[in-house]
Amino acid sequence: TKSLARLAEAAACLGAMAAAAAAPIARQIEACLKRVRKWDSEFLCLGNKNEAFNVPRPEEVLARITANLDYFCVNYAICLAIFALIAIVVYPQLLVLVCVSSGMWYALLTRPANLKVQVGAAFLTKKQLQMGLAGVNAVVVLVFARTMIFATIGASLLFVLAHAGFRSVPSKAKDKLAQDETREP
C-alpha cells in the first residue's frame, strides 16, 4: 500500500509539473486567439461600405499591406492553415506523407529521454535521432511533394497579399498606427 501511495504521489507531482509547464503555453495561445478579428465585418467587410475593398494608389500600397498584415496577422495564419489542410485533403500523396511522418514522430517522441540506439560502433541519442528524422522528413517531402507544397504556399501567399493590398486599412488599425507613430520620436 505504501508503494501505491508513493506512485499516486509521484503521478500527482508529474501532473502538477505538466500543468505548470502547459500554463504559459496556454496563456500564449489565448493571447494569440484574442487577436482574431471578426471574420464577417472586419476581415471580409460584409456590411461596412466605408471600409471596403478598393484599389489603392501606388504610393499607399506598401503602407496598406504592412498595416493589414499587422492588424489581421492571426486571421492570415488561420487562412494559411486552412490552405494547408485543403491541400492535404485534395492531394492524397500529402495525406499519406503526413500520416507516415506523424507515425514516425509519434514512435520516436514516445520513447524515454535516455534512449540510445547503437548504429555500428556509435550510440545515437534521442536528440540525434530527432535531428536525423527531421532531415529524412525534409528530404522525403521535397522529393515527393515539392510541387504541391510550393503551389499551396504560393496560392496562400497570393491570397494574403491580395487581401492585405485591396482591403482598406480598418479605422482601429489606423488608430493603433497613429499611437505607434507618436511613441517613436
Side-chain angles (χ1 to χ4, degrees):
T1 59
K2 287 183 181 181
S3 62
L4 287 176
R6 288 181 186 164
L7 183 63
E9 186 178 305
C13 182
L14 284 175
M17 287 172 51
I25 295 171
R27 277 189 235 115
Q28 288 177 346
I29 291 172
E30 183 180 346
C32 186
L33 289 178
K34 284 182 180 178
R35 289 194 63 191
V36 174
R37 307 299 177 194
K38 293 180 182 175
W39 289 97
D40 55 351
S41 61
E42 288 190 63
F43 191 74
L44 298 175
C45 302
L46 299 177
N48 287 346
K49 299 297 181 200
N50 55 349
E51 291 185 356
F53 291 92
N54 56 33
V55 178
R57 292 188 313 267
E59 61 270 6
E60 70 179 30
V61 171
L62 186 59
R64 181 184 281 198
I65 289 175
T66 305
N68 281 335
L69 284 175
D70 182 51
Y71 188 71
F72 292 115
C73 64
V74 178
N75 293 71
Y76 291 143
I78 292 170
C79 288
L80 294 176
I82 290 171
F83 269 91
L85 288 174
I86 289 171
I88 289 171
V89 171
V90 169
Y91 300 117
Q93 191 174 13
L94 283 179
L95 184 61
V96 170
L97 281 173
V98 167
C99 290
V100 170
S101 66
S102 297
M104 292 169 59
W105 277 104
Y106 177 77
L108 181 60
L109 293 175
T110 56
R111 300 293 167 239
N114 61 355
L115 174 72
K116 291 189 181 188
V117 176
Q118 185 174 4
V119 178
F123 283 96
L124 298 177
T125 64
K126 185 176 179 180
K127 186 74 170 174
Q128 292 168 328
L129 291 172
Q130 288 173 343
M131 289 186 282
L133 183 57
V136 167
N137 276 349
V139 169
V140 167
V141 166
L142 286 176
V143 167
F144 290 109
R146 68 181 168 270
T147 304
M148 293 171 273
I149 289 173
F150 290 133
T152 303
I153 291 171
S156 59
L157 288 179
L158 181 66
F159 169 79
V160 167
L161 288 176
H163 182 276
F166 290 117
R167 168 71 164 91
S168 60
V169 179
S171 58
K172 293 178 184 177
K174 288 179 187 175
D175 296 340
K176 183 182 176 197
L177 282 174
Q179 289 174 357
D180 289 345
E181 288 175 1
T182 58
R183 290 181 191 164
E184 283 182 16

